[in-house]
């Protein structure tokens, strides 16, 4: 038997960089470095673990939607051990929200062929966490989300979802969509051998026409959500310094009381 796993990944602005909004209130990606979303690294790791622990022939494809630089996210995933990659790039995708992105991803997943789709729990830039559910709805398959443990056996995907009060054991028949949390296991670092091997792995490039999607179905003008306004976060002000000249304890207590901390 064979198992086709598609891992959806996202190229996001580096959270440690100085991020801004562009004039159209979309994220300005030109002025900050990007990388593979950390939460998506867990999804790649789980796909690779399923492949390594399976007696079946498993193919892991990583899929992203984004600008030219998004190939960097794919290369990272390929260097971790994924087999091939698909990059959907089109100028008309600029400003696409989660609803539109789920449409593009679903069409690309269907075109690539799949038995199991694995996603991170959310992207580290938008942090909406709704795309896995939207994908399952568009694909018409079961969803098993927010898993901290996942496995595949005999045409069934199984996993554990940890909540505040209890842990649930869940399963669904394939094909299915799952998402994994950052508690699912530390993602591996690419080895030098993996980095070199990634350069020879296939990366397909598709645009909207390849997926039979009209430009007016995606993009900023067709987005169901939009940013109404944005402003720079105020600069940090200098903190209050309490000098202990015999009354330091009282001054500190007065300050904390004034801030309603005590």
């Amino acid at each position: 038997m064979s198992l086709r796993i598609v891992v959806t990944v996202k190229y996001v602005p580096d959270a440690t960089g100085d991020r801004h909004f562009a004039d159209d209130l979309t994220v300005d990606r030109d002025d900050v470095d990007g990388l593979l979303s950390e939460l998506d690294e867990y999804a790649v790791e789980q796909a690779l673990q399923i492949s390594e622990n399976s007696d079946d022939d498993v193919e892991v494809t990583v899929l992203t939607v984004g600008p030219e630089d998004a190939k960097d996210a794919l290369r990272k995933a390929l260097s971790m051990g994924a087999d091939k990659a698909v990059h959907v790039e089109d100028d008309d995708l600029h400003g696409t929200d989660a609803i539109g992105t789920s449409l593009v991803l679903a069409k690309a997943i269907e075109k690539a062929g799949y038995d199991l789709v694995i996603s991170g729990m959310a992207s580290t830039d938008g942090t909406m966490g709704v795309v896995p559910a939207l994908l399952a709805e568009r694909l018409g398959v079961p969803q098993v989300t927010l898993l901290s443990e996942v496995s595949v056996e005999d045409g069934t995907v199984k996993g554990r979802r940890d909540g505040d009060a209890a842990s649930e054991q869940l399963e669904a028949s394939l094909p299915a969509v799952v998402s994994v949390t950052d508690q699912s296991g530390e993602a591996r670092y690419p080895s030098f051998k993996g980095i070199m091997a990634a350069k020879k792995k296939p990366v397909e490039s598709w645009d909207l026409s390849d997926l039979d999607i009209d430009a007016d179905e995606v993009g900023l003008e067709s987005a169901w959500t939009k940013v109404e306004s944005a402003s720079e976060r105020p600069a940090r002000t200098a903190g209050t310094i309490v000098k202990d000249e015999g009354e330091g304890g009282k001054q500190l207590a007065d300050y904390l009381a004034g801030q309603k901390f005590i």
Side-chain angles (χ1 to χ4, degrees):
M1 295 180 62
S2 62
L3 177 66
R4 300 165 298 171
I5 301 177
V6 177
V7 185
T8 60
V9 300
K10 190 175 183 182
Y11 179 74
V12 299
D14 188 343
T16 64
D18 190 13
R19 294 171 292 175
H20 300 88
F21 284 102
D23 292 339
D24 61 1
L25 295 180
T26 61
V27 176
D28 187 348
R29 299 179 183 274
D30 294 331
D31 291 340
V32 63
D33 292 334
L35 40 73
L36 170 62
S37 176
E38 181 183 358
L39 292 175
D40 291 340
E41 291 186 17
Y42 296 98
V44 176
E45 176 62 31
Q46 290 308 304
L48 297 177
Q49 288 193 25
I50 291 171
S51 177
E52 292 165 354
N53 296 327
S54 176
D55 294 329
D56 298 330
D57 181 19
V58 181
E59 181 180 67
V60 178
T61 301
V62 286
L63 164 66
T64 195
V65 176
E68 172 66 24
D69 289 344
K71 282 188 172 66
D72 290 344
L74 295 177
R75 293 190 186 98
K76 173 70 177 292
L78 291 173
S79 66
M80 290 172 67
D83 299 303
K84 63 179 185 178
V86 174
H87 179 204
V88 181
E89 179 188 8
D90 197 299
D91 290 342
D92 289 324
L93 286 168
H94 174 73
T96 301
D97 64 355
I99 300 290
T101 298
S102 70
L103 170 64
V104 178
L105 286 172
K107 292 282 190 178
I109 289 167
E110 290 176 328
K111 182 178 175 67
Y114 75 102
D115 299 296
L116 177 64
V117 179
I118 304 180
S119 301
M121 61 188 289
S123 64
T124 54
D125 56 351
T127 63
M128 294 185 68
V130 298
V131 169
L134 293 172
L135 276 179
E137 176 67 20
R138 290 190 182 277
L139 294 170
V141 300
Q143 58 166 309
V144 187
T145 53
L146 300 176
L147 300 181
S148 55
E149 183 180 275
V150 61
S151 63
V152 175
E153 184 178 355
D154 297 330
T156 301
V157 59
K158 302 179 180 180
R160 187 185 79 243
R161 178 191 292 153
D162 295 324
D164 292 336
S167 293
E168 302 170 309
Q169 295 292 333
L170 306 168
E171 65 177 55
S173 58
L174 298 179
V177 173
V178 305
S179 68
V180 298
T181 72
D182 54 358
Q183 302 301 308
S184 59
E186 197 68 29
R188 68 192 67 186
Y189 289 102
S191 64
F192 177 75
K193 181 180 179 180
I195 293 172
M196 298 305 294
K199 296 180 179 181
K200 299 180 180 180
K201 294 179 179 179
V203 178
E204 292 191 61
S205 295
W206 298 340
D207 59 18
L208 291 178
S209 64
D210 292 315
L211 303 176
D212 295 323
I213 297 175
D214 294 331
D216 60 5
E217 296 180 83
V218 295
L220 188 59
E221 293 301 317
S222 299
W224 289 45
T225 59
K226 65 179 180 179
V227 177
E228 291 285 356
S229 64
S231 58
E232 294 250 355
R233 180 184 297 172
R236 287 188 177 184
T237 58
T240 300
I241 298 175
V242 175
K243 294 182 179 180
D244 188 4
E245 297 177 349
E247 295 290 325
K250 182 179 183 305
Q251 292 180 51
L252 180 58
D254 290 343
Y255 173 78
L256 292 175
Q259 299 297 316
K260 296 184 178 180
F261 291 143
I262 59 174

